[in-house]
Amino acid sequence: MSENVVNLHKDTPEPVDTGSVTMLTLVPDPAPAPPIPLWVRSGRALRTLATHERTTTVVRAMARHSLYTFNGGRIVARRTWDGKTGARYERMLRAAEAQGNLEVAEEWEERLQRFRDARHRRRMDLLHSPVDIAKGVGVAACMSVGTLVMLGVVMALNTKQFGDVITPLMATVEFIGALIRIVQVIWPTAVVVGPLLALLAMWTVGSKQQAAPQWALPANVRSGEGEPITPSIVVKALRDLGVPALRNAIKDMGDAGASMLGPITIAGCGVEVDVTLPSGVSTNEVQQRRRKLAENLTRHEHEVFITIPTAARTVRLWVADSGALDEPIGPSPLVTDETMTADYKTGRAPWGQDLRGDAAALSLYQRHLLITGLSNQGKTVALRSLALWLALDRSVQFLIGDLKGVGDWGMFDGLASTLIQGPTDEHVIQVTEMVEGAVNEMNRRIQEPPGTVFPALIVLVDEAQMAFMCPAKDDEKRPYGGSKANSRYFMAVRKIHNQGRAVNVLMWQGTQDPTNENLPKLVREGAHTRASLALGTESQARMALGDKAVDGGAAPNLLRPGLDQGTLVLASSGIDIPAGQASITVRTHYIDDDNAKAITTRAKALRDGVTTLTLIEHGEERDELADILTALGDAPRVPTTDVLKRLAMLHSDTYGTWTNGDLKRVLDDAGAEPYKSDGRIVVARHRVTRALANRDDKGSASAS
């Protein structure tokens, strides 16, 4: 049995299950919301009206133009006061005294005294001027009346009319009356228009000076995009830097801080200015606020560089034109000039441009090199461009270890004596033995008579952090990586750093993301030329460039990763650095793989032919005569000194200690004796080839 019960008390029914009886109950409607008070609605409307874009635009415009007029009047009044009084001289005098420049202060005091003397003479002249003016007016009036009367007499004689004598006088009187009537008509209008013109003039002055708060200026002016750097902008930026002593000193200066600034000069794609800080303000207080200073100058942080010149208590500001540093620089001269050659001793590698836009050329003579930075910032390309230039000197030899192994250095095959490419521990072992072979060559050169000139041997290891972090150990349990006294790679690099420069054996390394573990302190401080691309922290910047460069303003950690690729901060005696600075910022040329291959092709054409070793074998008994043939390469004859060097690079453990006597012994026993050619003892390739063939024939005959 079911029953429907309907309650009609409300409008909205809702079924309710009560077991056997289904009932429809009416759920009461929610209570209506109370009406919003009128004052609340009015407040919301007023807030919407006050914050509307049109309202704010109108308010800013009204405030801007009102302040233009008011502040323009102040500027005109100040200029007038300065022109009529000695206020300008007094301000400059106080500024010179504040700077402690007594000579300039005396000069301004003398100028002020001359101005006061001249003003006194003018005032004394004014005491006599009324009488002089009256006399002058009387004389002029008499002469004018006499002239007019004479003119009337002439007219009367001509017309035979006596009344014409006074005609010129009457005409003059009527003309004066007409002028008076014109003035009477214009005067009411002039009384109204004159002040309006004065207000317009003051508004014009204020608008040209942008004499209004930033919030009231138009959007394009507030952004300051591309705003030229002027003395007033620099002083305002320093005043608002947040250094109380600097702000108070600028307020106390009579010239509002202008005397702190040197000349603003154009420097490349920006401007440069020296700022002499007042007493009580240190240079590092300005350096530590680089971002705020850049924003005050309406620039991005990377567009402002702060360095310390030689003058005491002075900072040098270089401010780029807005967006200029985002524009690429031109191609490398290595690409555009196919006739270019290099000179290791006297030449300089064209590496790029400094911030002034001048060519940045680096001397590589007897300087160990270290380049570091974050991954994918252009480290390999920057390092390779130096090697490409130096390869155009046919006397320079290369030993290259690429521990990235993606082919960045493949174009040096046939140019480098050794080229090892790969990221594994086995490749690290090979590179370590290559560097140890260079140590043996260095020791051999050191034993030569003093004054002997040696060709440059560049030992280049890219991604060197892989070598320092390698966990492999040799048979004697000596680690290849690490920075201990028995670490093989570390000790080999240290030996070259200590003595290699004197005999032109140089160590070049490229690393990324430096730490004390992957770039030991002794290794990074052994480099004469230290360069850094973008880094993450200031501590890494100090590792890369040293404390002196960073304290002097070098800040590779402020370069923008990904945006400033190829831009590096360089500390080296091999490049021209402005006096007083410890580093220089260089935007390097980008040389792609195709152009790099073209350059190495030109470099190979300068050489007789180089056999590149891509693997250093070890742990087996050597075939000495076969190794000699390998060391000879394709050349018909090679000096014995070069053969010894190539053998040491081929296998340092076996041939690292060889002398001319050891080489001569093996060749004499094989019947391929060295001989003299053009004053040098050489080894002939055809003799070695014949000796190997004869040995093989004898071996075959005895075996049969």
Side-chain angles (χ1 to χ4, degrees), residues 672-691:
E673 299 85 355
Y675 63 96
K676 180 176 289 188
S677 175
D678 296 331
R680 304 182 68 183
I681 303 299
V682 299
V683 180
R685 190 177 191 280
H686 73 275
R687 292 189 179 187
V688 178
T689 304
R690 185 179 61 220

Side-chain angles (χ1 to χ4, degrees), residues 391-410:
L392 296 176
D393 184 338
R394 59 177 299 171
S395 67
V396 177
Q397 303 168 7
F398 291 94
L399 304 178
I400 298 177
D402 176 16
L403 294 178
K404 184 189 297 181
V406 295
D408 290 335
W409 297 88

Side-chain angles (χ1 to χ4, degrees), residues 174-472:
E174 291 177 357
F175 176 73
I176 295 173
L179 290 179
I180 292 173
R181 288 192 295 272
I182 292 173
V183 171
Q184 289 176 342
V185 172
I186 293 177
W187 181 253
T189 305
V191 170
V192 176
V193 175
L196 294 178
L197 293 176
L199 290 175
L200 178 61
M202 291 188 292
W203 178 89
T204 303
V205 173
S207 63
K208 288 183 178 180
Q209 297 292 326
Q210 298 293 328
Q214 283 290 320
W215 61 266
L217 296 176
N220 60 333
V221 178
R222 290 199 307 271
S223 66
E225 188 69 23
E227 184 178 6
I229 300 300
T230 62
S232 61
I233 289 177
V234 176
V235 172
K236 289 179 182 177
L238 294 169
R239 184 194 63 194
D240 299 335
L241 201 55
V243 181
L246 180 58
R247 182 179 62 251
N248 295 334
I250 292 175
K251 288 182 178 179
D252 294 339
M253 290 182 183
D255 61 347
S259 60
M260 296 193 307
L261 306 183
I264 297 179
T265 58
I266 296 176
C269 57
V271 297
E272 189 175 73
V273 59
D274 284 356
V275 181
T276 303
L277 301 176
S279 178
V281 182
S282 62
T283 55
N284 66 338
E285 289 182 286
V286 177
Q287 283 184 301
Q288 293 170 358
R289 293 168 172 82
R290 176 183 172 185
R291 173 175 295 181
K292 190 170 186 179
L293 178 61
E295 292 172 350
N296 291 347
L297 293 169
T298 65
R299 296 294 189 272
H300 296 291
E301 184 178 12
H302 72 278
E303 294 176 329
V304 174
F305 289 82
I306 306 173
T307 54
I308 309 298
T310 53
R313 213 171 65 239
T314 302
V315 294
R316 178 168 295 160
L317 306 181
W318 185 86
V319 184
D321 297 336
S322 184
L325 294 184
D326 296 327
E327 299 293 330
I329 63 174
S332 170
L334 291 173
V335 176
T336 58
D337 186 2
E338 296 184 357
T339 63
M340 176 177 284
T341 58
D343 190 315
Y344 161 71
K345 185 174 182 180
T346 61
R348 289 175 176 254
W351 210 7
Q353 294 180 1
D354 61 16
L355 296 179
R356 293 171 170 266
D358 299 330
L362 179 66
S363 172
L364 304 172
Y365 179 63
Q366 292 188 344
R367 289 178 176 88
H368 302 303
L369 177 66
L370 172 66
I371 299 180
T372 187
L374 297 177
S375 177
N376 196 32
Q377 299 305 309
K379 167 181 54 63
T380 297
V381 173
L383 183 60
R384 188 176 67 184
S385 65
L386 296 178
L388 289 172
W389 176 80
L390 199 55
L392 296 176
D393 184 338
R394 59 177 299 171
S395 67
V396 177
Q397 303 168 7
F398 291 94
L399 304 178
I400 298 177
D402 176 16
L403 294 178
K404 184 189 297 181
V406 295
D408 290 335
W409 297 88
M411 66 287 299
F412 279 81
D413 191 358
L415 190 60
S417 301
T418 301
L419 177 60
I420 300 171
Q421 303 178 88
T424 67
D425 289 348
E426 181 61 28
H427 291 99
V428 172
I429 294 173
Q430 298 289 323
V431 168
T432 301
E433 294 183 352
M434 177 191 77
V435 178
E436 290 175 339
V439 173
N440 293 330
E441 168 63 14
M442 176 190 72
N443 292 332
R444 186 194 67 80
R445 293 184 177 189
I446 291 175
Q447 295 173 2
E448 295 293 328
T452 304
V453 179
F454 302 100
L457 174 61
I458 306 300
V459 186
L460 191 154
V461 179
D462 196 10
E463 305 295 340
Q465 76 278 355
M466 300 285 292
F468 288 111
M469 300 300 291
C470 179

Side-chain angles (χ1 to χ4, degrees), residues 101-116:
N101 196 336
L102 299 181
E103 294 182 0
V104 175
E106 292 176 357
E107 181 180 351
W108 282 110
E109 186 176 12
E110 182 180 350
R111 292 182 180 181
L112 176 59
Q113 188 60 42
R114 289 201 300 267
F115 171 81
R116 287 173 174 171

